[in-house]
Amino acid sequence: MDLNAWLTLIVVFAILVGLIRSVATPDVLFLSGLVILILTGVVTPVEAFAGFSNQALLTIAFLFVVAAGMNETGILDYWGKFMLQRATSQRGVIVRMAATVLPMSAFLNNTPIVAMFMPILLDWSRRHMVSPSKVLIPLSFLAILGGTCTLIGTSTNLVVDGLVRQENLKGFTMFEISLIGIPYALVGTIYLWLLGPRLLPERKEMLEQLGESRREYLFEMEVQPSCSYVGKSVEAVGLRGLPGLFLIEIDRRGKIISPVEPDDLIEAGDRLTFTGVVSGIIALKKTPGLIPASDPSYKVSPLEQRQRRICEAVISVNSNLIGRTIREADIRASYGAAVVAVHRGGSRIAQKVGDIRLRPGDTLLMQVPRHFVRVYRNDPAFYLVSAVHEWRPIRSDRAKIAMLIFVLLVLLMSSGVVDLVVAAALAAVLMVGFGCLSAGEARRSIDWQVLITIAAAFGMGAAMDKSGAAMIIAQTFVDVARPFGPLAALAMIYVLGSILTELITNNAAAALLFPFCLATANQFGVSPYPFLVVLMLSASASFVTPIGYQTNMMVFGPGGYRFSDFLKVGLPINLLLMGVALLVVPYWWPF
């Protein structure tokens, strides 16, 4: 082994140690390692930074924008709530999540999908007295499994495909990976459905924290003639068992319907009285044709909604609003705000929202102008004014357009009429051009740290190849596996990929192991494709630790998990899926 190979291995090892010890972020560590290899002459600047112009990298960036457009128009929210609203058991939740999350993550970035489902699952856990630790790990794992079903399902697949094309080899088609991805995902889903309830921990303290953190508001919504609820039953529109909400009564032109039965029909002009938490109120406010009954001049158009924000304000003991009803206070005239809901600690409010006489300590949930928090933060009328950051106005008027653009993207990518990067770029431009999200939101939706890490990892992979380090390691593996044939080498690559993806990012693991896969295939004199497909799967199979993949980290805190929980649930599924990969991959991609 010459000096360049040793230098490359030392730098790669140093990067791994830095990632494990969290010395710096992945993009900083990989860029630093790349600069060292340039300065020592292992690779040229052109070779090192060629990854920044790779088509796979650009495709991933454009797909971030497409996923953001689907999220901003409310399509992900709608499907998530629709699929989970009638689930009554943990296994039922897993089945419904699989039916929704698997196809979603097969075409969209996993992060917004998990972010959208988390509050829905937390609310479901509250209502059914099930610890969130029983449902959040399956959410992350299903998102990972769904990503293996198509070429664009995960950035890992695109990274490997981009490197394949860079080597002038035949790239993968849109649904070619589905030959292994679908059975891979189905087996993983069956495992979660069958053994998940037994293996997943039950963190009672997390359930207690959810109960203690509830701050319930009283609020009323008026049904407009344009609302899709008109003429349908309460159960049919999903107002029974709403996450974080309870429908108390219906006021129909002075006639009170209480308790509300599932088969009660909703009519235009009905005033629906609810009690619930902020997240539930925000979810309900996204329904077109439902407006706060306490404010007749409420802005209903999506364009006007995007100019508003939601905030909480606590009435102070010296407030001039004390003793006045919300209707008398005319908060819109004084502050330009619309009262959506009211919370009073320690007591149940019996009046209509507009008739509530304000007391010190009452909390108002209000829709306000953009600069309300900054302007009235120190107003003596309030103890505290704070923004509700989980609120975001939905561009519901653009939902159909976003869906059509997404369908166009899938058709273009699957037909091969244009390159993947062209199809993704077109979809991203159309999302912004048709107002599904703004140009600023499109820029913010791109995870630049992920892109820089991928591009720098491409450079590290090039260094492994050019220095001969990849070939030397491959030779060592082949010598061990030769008595057992290429299938044993395939198993070793899966294990190595699974270990690396838990230590570093999945994309970096794929980029680093890519030259090793080519070298191993070359040593055996067989096709590289089975090794590359297994690399896609193993680099995505981040089930054993919470740090290997971002969606695992997203559910780690809210689920109250411990590091060992992922090992207990994730190791068996990883071994099971490795068996599936070793059986199926050689059948469709022969050696």
Side-chain angles (χ1 to χ4, degrees), residues 112-125:
I113 295 172
V114 172
M116 179 271 296
F117 265 93
M118 278 177 57
I120 298 173
L121 287 173
L122 290 174
D123 283 325
W124 182 91
S125 298

Side-chain angles (χ1 to χ4, degrees), residues 179-246:
L179 296 171
I180 174 61
I182 291 176
Y184 195 77
L186 288 176
V187 170
T189 301
I190 293 170
Y191 166 88
L192 291 172
W193 180 83
L194 197 62
L195 298 179
R198 298 180 184 180
L199 296 178
L200 288 163
E202 185 160 3
R203 300 279 183 258
K204 292 290 187 183
E205 65 275 14
M206 288 307 297
L207 190 58
E208 291 166 3
Q209 286 176 30
L210 287 176
E212 290 169 0
S213 64
R214 292 174 70 91
R215 177 161 61 189
E216 294 200 343
Y217 283 87
L218 179 76
F219 68 105
E220 296 174 88
M221 304 295 281
E222 183 176 317
V223 181
Q224 300 289 291
S226 60
C227 184
S228 60
Y229 290 178
V230 175
K232 298 178 182 176
S233 70
V234 168
E235 185 171 28
V237 299
L239 292 181
R240 297 284 294 180
L242 282 168
L245 295 177
F246 176 71

Side-chain angles (χ1 to χ4, degrees), residues 432-446:
V432 176
F434 281 99
C436 299
L437 74 168
S438 67
E441 289 166 337
R443 284 189 290 269
R444 287 191 294 273
S445 71
I446 299 173

Side-chain angles (χ1 to χ4, degrees), residues 38 53 57 95 109 164 169 178 196 260 264 268-269 275 279 292 307 311 322 338 409 471 497 561 584:
I38 293 171
S53 62
L57 191 76
V95 169
N109 182 270
V164 166
L169 297 171
S178 305
V260 180
D264 285 334
T275 181
S279 59
Q307 307 305 315
C311 83
I322 293 173
L409 169 69
M471 182 60 74
Y561 294 115
V584 178

Side-chain angles (χ1 to χ4, degrees), residues 30 67 251 273:
F30 273 96
D251 182 346
T273 303

